[in-house]
Amino acid sequence: MSTFFLFIMIGIVCSNMQSQLADQILQAQGMSMEARIVKPKKTMTIASFLKWIKKEFPKESIQMQFKSKEDKNQVLIWSQNRDLNYFPVSSGRFFSEDDFKGRVTIAAVSPSSAASQIKTQGNTYLIANGQYYSVVGSLKAVPYQSSKAYYLTTGVKQETGQSRINHFTLYVDASSQTIGKIASHLKSETYWPDFVKQGRQRRLTLLMPEALLILFLLGVGVLLMGLIAWLTWKETDLSHVKGDLLPNLLLNRSGRFIVFMVLEAFVSYFLLVWKAYYSNQSILGLLLLGTVVVELVVYVGMMVYMYRKGKQADD
């Protein structure tokens, strides 16, 4: 059971690492590390562009932010097959996919938004370009974000969809292949957003404490394997079994231990994936696999060393 708890502890630390990185990115921008900037050169409307997206990528999970070149604080939001609940709100809510399908444009504001707002009859309205938009939510202040932005929905049927797409800088969060096709359609290159660059630069600083903790736990596992191998040898030695029976007994006991350890690693993986957060489950799998391999090498090496030392003493 000691190895099982070790696997669980390593998996929990791995989950914390991925959770911290995901929180840092999602809370700051509402986008993942896959996001890229596209600078449209076409003069088509946003509505026409969204119709093309729906036709070309009907099942793709996509989020797009259209950042106005004229009003630096205005950001139009649209998504498909994606939940936007990870935008942290202090009051109200953020947009849902149904909001992009309707005809009415609604708004959400950042905590330090400079946009004009009025309150009347218990409702808050944002005033932009002579238009009034109902405010459905206010975002929380989070680390790495000091934005004055206000967010508006856009869609095929909405008045914001009639804006020309070349008046905006487009942030696309989707698969790299989809982003490449979108950039090609809009006659643009793709660029790394600043928040992705900064996120990559901060990655080492952010994850170093957890990485050191994993190395410490791996060191504990190495010592534990050495102790278990020594106890297994001592138990076998006290049985006074000699000759050809001794290696057979050692192989039998070691084989059972190794099988149970591998099974514990599998159980740990599925339990952790079920209960903990992982943006990339393969990293957890590789981490547990590496731990098992290191521990097996230590265990087998210790057993071989003790066996040879015992044989020399008998000779």
Side-chain angles (χ1 to χ4, degrees), residues 95-265:
F95 308 138
S96 67
E97 192 166 346
D98 289 338
D99 294 327
F100 310 122
K101 297 175 182 178
R103 295 181 178 275
V104 178
T105 298
I106 58 177
V109 294
S110 61
S112 55
S113 176
S116 299
Q117 301 176 55
I118 61 169
K119 291 186 178 181
T120 178
Q121 297 180 343
N123 297 316
T124 302
Y125 295 90
L126 181 145
I127 307 171
N129 303 320
Q131 300 290 327
Y132 287 75
Y133 304 101
S134 178
V135 177
V136 297
S138 298
L139 298 182
K140 287 182 180 178
V142 296
Y144 313 117
Q145 181 182 19
S146 57
S147 172
K148 295 182 178 181
Y150 65 91
Y151 301 88
L152 301 176
T153 58
T154 191
V156 173
K157 301 176 183 178
Q158 297 184 20
E159 55 90 13
T160 50
Q162 301 311 309
S163 301
R164 295 288 174 179
I165 197 170
N166 59 316
H167 294 171
F168 296 83
T169 299
L170 179 54
Y171 287 67
V172 186
D173 192 7
S175 67
S176 57
Q177 184 177 13
T178 298
I179 294 174
K181 290 181 179 179
I182 289 173
S184 176
H185 181 71
L186 295 176
K187 299 180 180 180
S188 171
E189 301 293 329
T190 58
Y191 307 87
W192 293 97
D194 287 340
F195 74 87
V196 172
K197 293 178 184 177
Q198 293 166 3
R200 289 172 177 269
Q201 291 167 1
R202 282 195 296 263
R203 187 188 295 260
L204 182 61
T205 303
L206 179 69
L207 303 184
M208 183 60 73
E210 282 77 11
L212 292 175
L213 181 54
I214 287 177
L215 288 175
F216 171 76
L217 291 172
L218 186 59
V220 171
V222 168
L223 293 176
L224 183 63
M225 287 301 104
L227 178 61
I228 292 174
W230 182 79
L231 291 174
T232 302
W233 166 257
K234 292 300 291 184
E235 184 182 357
T236 305
D237 189 45
L238 291 174
S239 67
H240 301 294
V241 175
K242 302 295 181 182
D244 294 336
L245 292 177
L246 180 59
N248 290 335
L249 183 58
L250 285 173
L251 287 173
N252 182 270
R253 289 180 174 177
S254 297
R256 281 183 296 175
F257 171 73
I258 291 170
V259 168
F260 278 118
M261 186 173 68
V262 172
L263 287 175
E264 286 173 349

Side-chain angles (χ1 to χ4, degrees), residues 38-47 49 65-76 129 159-171 186:
V38 175
K39 299 179 179 180
K41 293 183 174 62
K42 279 194 173 182
T43 58
M44 64 194 306
T45 64
I46 291 176
F49 170 64
Q65 298 183 10
F66 302 80
K67 299 194 175 185
S68 174
K69 295 178 182 178
E70 299 165 359
D71 181 350
K72 299 299 183 182
N73 295 324
Q74 184 187 90
V75 182
L76 306 184
N129 303 320
E159 55 90 13
T160 50
Q162 301 311 309
S163 301
R164 295 288 174 179
I165 197 170
N166 59 316
H167 294 171
F168 296 83
T169 299
L170 179 54
Y171 287 67
L186 295 176

Side-chain angles (χ1 to χ4, degrees), residues 222 225-230 233 250 254 257-258 261 292-309:
V222 168
M225 287 301 104
L227 178 61
I228 292 174
W230 182 79
W233 166 257
L250 285 173
S254 297
F257 171 73
I258 291 170
M261 186 173 68
V292 169
V293 170
V294 170
E295 292 186 345
L296 282 177
V297 168
V298 172
Y299 179 85
V300 172
M302 187 67 175
M303 290 299 295
V304 170
Y305 170 76
M306 295 298 294
Y307 176 73
R308 288 180 176 176
K309 187 177 179 181

